[in-house]
Amino acid sequence: MNLSLYAAIERIGLGLAVTLEFLGPLAVALATTRSKGSMSCAAIAGAGVVAITQPEASTDYAGIGLALIAASSWGAYILLNRTVGNRIPGVQGTATATGVSAALFLPIGLTIFITQRPDAAAVLCAVAAGLLASVVPYIADLVALRSVPAHIFGVLMSINPVFAAAIGAIALNEELGAVEWAGIVLIVGANAFALRLRR
């Protein structure tokens, strides 16, 4: 999930990549409600995707595809994390999953070390990113999903694309036009409405 998201961010920017990634949780929310309202949410989200990607000849389809892989991974993560949280006490399940992920990532990491020879600062940044982008939020999610209703958790998570777009604009000088912001609002709104339907 993170690897494909980071690759997408490099190609299409933080705000758009995170917004597309958010289609994963939205798909999970829509899959649990089979109603006319959920179909409306899917249509609204689809309009949002078209707005932020603006398909044309120069569109970075590889970046969009990577963000959609991250979205699929996030949807699977939500379902698997809920199951693990219900079956395994404490954070042992998350610790095991993190270890498995690290083992799967090992060939990529070794390739990077052999071909690019990162310095100590880059290694420290990678370790910090691993802790702050994986271990800490995964444990926080696991604990939150045990004590906070899923619909409230989902509504709170729906703010992520707005934060990502704002941080991208402020810290990374990524410019988003009115159409892209409208697309972000449509996807976030579709998620919030889908969660209300689910409740």
Side-chain angles (χ1 to χ4, degrees):
M1 179 177 73
N2 285 341
L3 185 61
S4 55
L5 176 64
Y6 296 154
I9 289 170
E10 186 176 18
R11 300 181 71 99
I12 63 174
L14 181 64
L16 300 186
V18 171
T19 302
L20 287 173
E21 184 195 31
F22 203 73
L23 292 173
L26 176 60
V28 171
L30 292 177
T32 59
T33 56
R34 297 194 178 143
S35 65
K36 292 180 181 178
S38 64
M39 297 306 294
S40 299
C41 290
I44 292 169
V49 170
V50 171
I52 65 173
T53 58
Q54 298 180 29
E56 56 187 30
S58 61
T59 299
D60 190 334
Y61 291 105
I64 292 170
L66 288 164
L68 293 177
I69 290 171
S72 301
S73 300
W74 195 4
Y77 160 74
I78 290 171
L79 297 174
L80 292 170
N81 203 18
R82 183 182 303 158
T83 302
V84 168
N86 289 335
R87 294 182 181 177
I88 302 175
V91 296
Q92 292 93 329
T94 302
T96 303
T98 302
V100 170
S101 296
L104 292 173
F105 185 75
L106 190 59
I108 298 171
L110 288 175
T111 302
I112 292 171
F113 268 93
I114 293 169
T115 60
Q116 297 184 4
R117 304 253 181 201
D119 59 15
V123 172
L124 287 175
C125 286
V127 170
L131 291 172
L132 297 175
S134 298
V135 178
V136 173
Y138 292 171
I139 291 173
D141 286 353
L142 182 66
V143 173
L145 283 168
R146 284 179 177 156
S147 55
V148 175
H151 64 279
I152 294 176
F153 179 82
V155 169
L156 293 173
M157 294 296 285
S158 70
I159 302 169
N160 280 354
V162 177
F163 282 152
I167 291 169
I170 294 168
L172 304 175
N173 296 321
E174 295 175 356
E175 294 185 10
L176 295 177
V179 175
E180 287 92 347
W181 277 108
I184 290 171
V185 169
L186 285 173
I187 292 174
V188 170
N191 181 72
F193 187 55
L195 291 165
R196 284 185 63 84
L197 287 174
R198 183 178 175 186
R199 185 180 181 187

